[in-house]
Amino acid sequence: MAVREIIKLPDPVLKSVSTPVEQVTEDVRALLDDMLETMYDAPGIGLAAVQIGIAKRLVVIDIANEEEPPDPIFLINPEIVWWSEETAEYEEGCLSIPEVFGDVTRPAEVRVRYQDREGQPCERQCEGLLATCIQHEIDHLNGVLFIDLLSRLKRDRVVKKFTKAAKQAKEPA
Ligand code: GNR
Ligand code: NI
């Protein structure tokens, strides 16, 4: 297991549409383990493979709090097969856009179809923070960031700030 580097805005890799995983091999499980370690190290409650530069449809999530035992969820090729009409608003953040937060409204409940780390087909009904997190991660698999769901003004401000910071980091003073 290893902590990998997390890709940050404005890296164009984050805009990639990730490709489905055909077979759940030992290599896939090793990658999921690296993703989990990277997420715990950050720390965050979810991570998509594209955030460590690998555009495959792989997600790890753990929404357990500090007092609870770890409860990792591994999702391979996740897709939402049902969502509620009722919506919920959460203040979201993203490990690829550090220190930026914004209120996002999404369906309050979703049903997700995926394969687990053994490659077994599964379905899971999710609500609350888990429903929000799963939708945030599946958006990553489609090249969508939570700032894309904010007002154009707010998104443009964030992109501009990160683009400027990246440029300054590259140029000598
Ligand atoms: O750690 C994270 N917290 C979070 C909070 C509210 C809504 C979504 C998230 S996901 C985020 C980690 C991340 O960037 N996953 O892609
Ligand atoms: Ni994110």
Side-chain angles (χ1 to χ4, degrees):
M1 296 237 279
V3 172
R4 309 272 196 113
E5 194 189 328
I6 296 177
I7 309 278
K8 310 272 161 62
L9 194 74
D11 195 314
V13 169
L14 295 171
K15 298 258 122 206
S16 335
V17 176
S18 294
T19 51
V21 173
E22 299 287 346
Q23 237 191 342
V24 183
T25 60
E26 279 306 317
D27 286 353
V28 168
R29 280 188 279 271
L31 180 53
L32 287 167
D33 289 339
D34 279 3
M35 288 167 61
L36 194 68
E37 198 177 345
T38 303
M39 182 189 83
Y40 285 148
D41 177 72
I45 59 169
L47 192 79
V50 70
Q51 292 180 275
I52 58 167
I54 298 164
K56 292 194 175 150
R57 302 188 85 82
L58 294 170
V59 166
V60 297
I61 291 176
D62 191 337
I63 59 158
N65 62 39
E66 303 95 78
E67 294 107 68
E68 294 168 335
D71 184 19
I73 304 172
F74 301 94
L75 304 163
I76 301 172
N77 302 323
E79 48 178 322
I80 292 168
V81 294
W82 173 86
W83 49 92
S84 62
E85 263 175 60
E86 190 199 337
T87 58
E89 188 183 74
Y90 269 91
E91 184 174 57
E92 298 197 16
C94 182
L95 294 172
S96 296
I97 319 171
E99 285 153 50
V100 172
F101 301 92
D103 292 332
V104 180
T105 299
R106 301 180 184 269
E109 265 189 86
V110 292
R111 188 165 185 85
V112 183
R113 187 174 294 161
Y114 62 99
Q115 288 158 267
D116 68 12
R117 29 175 318 132
E118 271 68 57
Q120 288 305 310
C122 301
E123 273 192 24
R124 184 169 177 146
Q125 187 88 6
C126 311
E127 57 175 28
L129 182 58
L130 182 58
T132 287
C133 188
I134 282 186
Q135 292 174 79
H136 175 115
E137 302 312 336
I138 292 176
D139 275 355
H140 273 301
L141 304 184
N142 295 323
V144 174
L145 301 171
F146 85 90
I147 54 167
D148 297 330
L149 308 177
L150 305 178
S151 72
R152 170 112 165 243
L153 178 67
K154 175 130 200 215
R155 181 190 45 202
D156 287 352
R157 272 199 200 128
V158 171
V159 172
K160 206 166 164 184
K161 183 177 146 205
F162 279 78
T163 304
K164 192 172 163 192
K167 203 173 149 200
Q168 279 173 351
K170 220 164 60 177
E171 285 168 359

